[in-house]
Amino acid sequence: MSLDRGPLSPPPSARRHWRGTLICSRTYIGKLEAEGVIQRQGDGFPLDQGRVAYLRYLRRERKQSPRGDANADFQRAKSELIRLRIAEKQRQLISLDEAISTTDEMIGLVLTHMSGMAARCAGPDLALRRKIDRVVYETRVAISEAATKLADQRGEPPLDEQG
């Protein structure tokens, strides 16, 4: 029966097992006594008080251990990654690249159809074609300016700096 308590258990040199009971070496007991974790009474140590004190010591060390913080951070990150993967599988979440690609395709489709609108609507009437082309151009400029304003508000770099 192993009573290994992880990184805060006595070092292997201090541990011996005897009939399923963890027995610490004299050196480890001396270390615990020197640190004030356990206190000698007479020629020995009170078992129950020593056990309680030792458990408190282990809990205190675990709370102060940077490894414990790192493990907690790792577990939080792992949980978040699993949550994101589940959301993605359920199609509640898509990647940024997929969203940008889809948006680019839709905008391209709209702009292509807007550019051909004058020819489809006005036919041979050149004056009407020019009016429609002017409205399409103004609409495209307004869309571009609105997109630039939103990008500036979000702190995105200009297109020529995005590489």
Side-chain angles (χ1 to χ4, degrees), residues 55-116:
L55 289 173
R56 285 188 185 135
Y57 165 77
L58 290 176
R59 288 183 186 130
R60 190 172 53 249
E61 289 296 310
R62 181 163 291 168
K63 285 181 183 175
Q64 294 173 357
S65 169
R67 183 174 177 186
D69 291 341
N71 285 341
D73 290 345
F74 175 74
Q75 289 302 323
R76 278 192 291 277
K78 191 174 175 183
S79 296
E80 179 65 13
L81 179 61
I82 291 169
R83 188 189 66 75
L84 290 172
R85 284 184 179 164
I86 290 170
E88 189 175 11
K89 296 281 186 213
Q90 293 175 340
R91 299 298 292 171
Q92 297 171 346
L93 183 69
I94 61 172
S95 70
L96 179 61
D97 290 340
E98 187 179 347
I100 289 172
S101 173
T102 301
T103 303
D104 284 348
E105 287 180 37
M106 295 297 107
I107 290 172
L109 184 65
V110 168
L111 294 177
T112 299
H113 284 280
M114 284 177 65
S115 297

Side-chain angles (χ1 to χ4, degrees), residues 21-77:
T21 304
L22 178 67
I23 302 173
C24 294
S25 71
R26 291 179 190 263
T27 307
Y28 190 67
I29 296 290
K31 176 184 176 275
L32 292 174
E33 184 179 12
E35 291 179 15
V37 176
I38 57 174
Q39 295 167 354
R40 184 180 300 267
Q41 287 184 355
D43 61 346
F45 298 91
L47 187 59
D48 288 335
Q49 289 174 337
R51 192 176 322 150
V52 170
Y54 184 62
L55 289 173
R56 285 188 185 135
Y57 165 77
L58 290 176
R59 288 183 186 130
R60 190 172 53 249
E61 289 296 310
R62 181 163 291 168
K63 285 181 183 175
Q64 294 173 357
S65 169
R67 183 174 177 186
D69 291 341
N71 285 341
D73 290 345
F74 175 74
Q75 289 302 323
R76 278 192 291 277

